[in-house]
């Protein structure tokens, strides 16, 4: 990594460390420590989702026009103010306003940081860059959660104020680190898809005309809804209601998920970076199908409580392995699909889809708690659908978009004619009108 990438990754890790201090304890803080009840806590989570859904549609255009650095700094300052205010708030309205600022800041940071990574990488290094980002995020969240758990005390509201204060400081640290990053003044994103002159209208209209990207957005929504959207909602409800899992076991399951990511990330990376992205995503769908079947055994089987707990923990571990496979796959693919000057827009669209999936995730709670057989059946089918959608997406990708390792092969081989290189990389030959990635 160059100096710029090292600083971006360090800032990203420190921010995740700060977020880890508060994420596990937000519900307890609002509902119990401030005495506002479960509905107020739920409203705070809704405020997070709403602020993200409102801010993200406008974020991509700003990133592409002004660059990602000022967007990251502005988002970090807003998130810092929201975190500090949340730690000091005692009433419902101040808490909701603080949650709106914190949620919007965190949401806007995601595509801006992703764009910084894209600008400072190439198609051959981007896979490892995003894998490292995901690894550092989970490591930071895990360490932050462990330390925060030792500090927090439900009988002392000041301990929660301290946690939110630490989170606020970490956001400012991110802003300071990003200020020191020297980004390329005119980033040349190697092998970017040229703009298609046949596409007209605004940025969103052009994006929606890009069939490969639309399919990736649909696939991303299903992935985030079936995995991240269920972790702390439907799957937790299924575990506690149908499987009789204790809260402590649920904590072990979440730890197993983080541990699987941290331990498997770079082992998995070596296995997936030379393979077709579409097939890697399809394999994740099959792994998650197995995870949901194991979860079904934990709640619907007739084994002992120990077997049910072990199966439930194994479910979260398998989800973690799938996440480790997706981190070097999805985000780089979004960047490789983006036409010239639209990386921020494409990253923002993908972040928006993720937020929508997370916002709708709690819809699984009534099924998980009340109709467990149907709940497991639905998400087994959804996971199989991920595999099918991934294979269909592969038909829309160029050879290099689906398997960027081909660029290394081309670099090592004797230089072919320019027209052959252009065809292999998915560039538009002079005799053609439509870019191959835009059908």
């Amino acid at each position: 990594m160059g100096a710029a990438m090292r600083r971006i990754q360090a800032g990203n890790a420190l921010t995740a460390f700060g977020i880890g201090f508060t994420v596990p304890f937000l519900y307890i803080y609002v509902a119990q420590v401030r005495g506002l009840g479960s509905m107020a806590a739920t409203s705070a989570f809704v405020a997070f989702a709403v602020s993200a859904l409102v801010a993200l549609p406008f974020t991509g255009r700003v990133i592409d026009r002004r660059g990602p650095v000022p967007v990251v700094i502005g988002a970090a300052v807003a998130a810092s103010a929201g975190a500090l205010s949340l730690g000091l708030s005692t009433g419902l309205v101040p808490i909701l306003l603080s949650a709106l600022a914190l949620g919007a800041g965190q949401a806007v940071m995601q595509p801006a940081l992703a764009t910084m990574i894209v600008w400072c990488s190439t198609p051959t290094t981007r896979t490892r860059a995003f894998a490292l980002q995901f690894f550092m995020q989970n490591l930071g969240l895990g360490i932050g959660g462990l330390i925060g758990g030792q500090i927090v005390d439900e009988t002392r509201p000041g301990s929660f104020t301290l946690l939110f204060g630490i989170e606020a400081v970490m956001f400012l640290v991110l802003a300071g680190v990003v200020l020191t990053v020297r980004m390329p003044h005119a980033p040349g994103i190697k092998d970017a898809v040229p703009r298609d002159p046949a596409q007209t209208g605004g940025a969103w209209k052009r994006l929606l005309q890009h069939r490969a990207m639309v399919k990736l957005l649909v696939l991303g929504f299903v992935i985030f809804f079936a995995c991240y959207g269920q972790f702390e909602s439907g799957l937790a409800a299924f575990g506690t209601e149908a499987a009789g899992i204790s809260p402590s076991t649920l904590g072990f399951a979440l730890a197993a998920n983080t541990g699987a990511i941290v331990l498997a990330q770079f082992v998995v990376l070596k296995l997936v970076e030379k393979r077709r992205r579409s097939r890697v995503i399809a394999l994740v769908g099959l792994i998650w199908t197995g995870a949901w079947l194991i979860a079904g055994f934990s709640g619907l089987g007739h084994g002992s409580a120990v077997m049910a707990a072990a199966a439930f923990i194994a479910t979260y571990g398998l989800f973690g392995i799938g996440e480790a496979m997706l981190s070097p796959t999805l985000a780089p693919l979004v960047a490789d699909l983006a036409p010239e000057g639209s990386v921020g827009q494409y990253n923002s669209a993908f972040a928006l889809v993720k937020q929508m999936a997370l916002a709708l995730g709690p819809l699984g709670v009534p099924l998980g708690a009340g109709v467990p057989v149907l709940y497991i059946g639905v998400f087994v089918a959804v996971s199989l659908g991920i595999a099918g959608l991934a294979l269909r997406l592969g038909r829309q990708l160029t050879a290099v978009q689906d398997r960027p390792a081909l660029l290394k092969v081309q670099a090592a081989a004797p230089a072919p004619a320019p027209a052959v290189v252009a065809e292999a990389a998915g560039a538009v030959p002079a005799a053609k009108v439509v870019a191959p990635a835009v059908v």
Side-chain angles (χ1 to χ4, degrees), residues 64 115 118-119 187 189-197 199 203 206-213 333-347 401 428 435 437-438:
D64 289 329
T115 303
V118 172
W119 282 21
I189 302 174
K190 187 179 178 182
D191 299 321
V193 179
R195 287 189 180 276
D196 180 11
Q199 292 181 319
R206 291 195 300 269
L207 186 148
L208 294 175
Q209 291 174 341
H210 191 164
R211 289 182 61 185
M213 185 59 189
L333 180 55
V334 173
D336 290 349
L337 285 175
E340 295 171 304
S342 298
V343 175
Q345 182 71 36
Y346 274 54
N347 281 327
Q401 287 170 348
V428 183
V438 184

Side-chain angles (χ1 to χ4, degrees), residues 112-423:
L113 283 170
T115 303
M116 289 184 72
I117 291 175
V118 172
W119 282 21
C120 294
S121 63
T122 66
T124 55
T125 63
R126 200 165 293 148
T127 296
R128 285 183 172 267
F130 278 104
L132 179 61
Q133 182 199 33
F134 189 69
F135 171 84
M136 298 297 286
Q137 278 180 340
N138 281 276
L139 189 61
L141 286 169
I143 295 174
L146 286 174
I147 297 176
Q150 304 305 310
I151 297 174
V152 73
D153 184 349
E154 294 178 37
T155 63
R156 293 190 301 114
S159 65
F160 287 85
T161 302
L162 176 60
L163 295 186
F164 284 105
I166 293 172
E167 181 182 28
V169 170
M170 289 299 103
F171 285 128
L172 294 180
V173 169
L174 171 65
V177 170
V178 168
L179 274 172
T180 68
V181 175
R182 298 184 63 180
M183 299 292 291
H185 293 290
I189 302 174
K190 187 179 178 182
D191 299 321
V193 179
R195 287 189 180 276
D196 180 11
Q199 292 181 319
T200 58
W204 279 101
K205 183 178 180 180
R206 291 195 300 269
L207 186 148
L208 294 175
Q209 291 174 341
H210 191 164
R211 289 182 61 185
M213 185 59 189
V214 170
K215 288 190 175 184
L216 180 58
L217 291 176
V218 172
L219 176 59
F221 178 87
V222 177
I223 286 172
F224 292 123
F225 180 72
C227 177
Y228 300 94
Q230 302 306 310
F231 269 5
E232 297 177 5
S233 57
L235 188 54
F238 171 85
T240 54
E241 297 293 337
I245 299 299
S246 66
S248 61
T249 302
L250 181 58
F252 279 117
L254 290 169
N257 175 262
T258 301
I261 294 170
V262 171
L263 293 175
Q265 182 65 82
F266 293 104
V267 176
V268 167
L269 177 61
K270 291 182 179 180
L271 297 176
V272 305
E273 64 179 346
K274 294 182 180 180
R275 288 166 175 78
R276 294 183 182 180
R277 288 166 168 169
S278 57
R279 294 186 180 180
V280 170
I281 300 171
L283 179 58
V284 171
L286 296 180
I287 291 173
W288 285 358
T289 299
W292 282 107
L293 291 173
I294 294 174
F297 170 80
S298 72
L300 308 176
H302 301 286
S304 65
V306 174
M307 291 180 63
F312 197 73
I313 292 172
T315 297
Y316 275 75
L318 286 174
F319 273 119
I321 292 174
E323 292 174 71
M325 296 171 66
L326 290 175
S327 63
T329 305
L330 288 177
L333 180 55
V334 173
D336 290 349
L337 285 175
E340 295 171 304
S342 298
V343 175
Q345 182 71 36
Y346 274 54
N347 281 327
S348 296
F350 199 71
L352 177 61
V353 164
K354 179 180 179 179
Q355 291 296 328
M356 291 172 62
L358 295 179
L360 294 176
L363 293 177
V365 172
L367 286 181
V371 195
V373 176
L374 180 60
Y375 179 72
I376 294 297
V378 166
F379 282 97
V380 166
V382 168
S383 298
L384 291 173
I386 290 173
L389 288 171
L391 294 176
R392 293 189 63 182
L393 171 64
R395 303 189 191 109
Q396 297 289 325
L397 304 176
T398 65
V400 170
Q401 287 170 348
D402 200 19
R403 194 177 181 185
L406 291 175
L407 288 174
K408 293 183 179 179
V409 176
Q410 293 171 0
V420 176
V421 175
E423 288 281 3

Side-chain angles (χ1 to χ4, degrees), residues 80-103:
S80 178
L84 183 60
S85 176
L86 191 57
L88 296 172
S89 299
T90 57
L92 177 59
V93 173
I95 283 177
L96 292 180
L97 292 176
S98 302
L100 285 171
L102 179 56

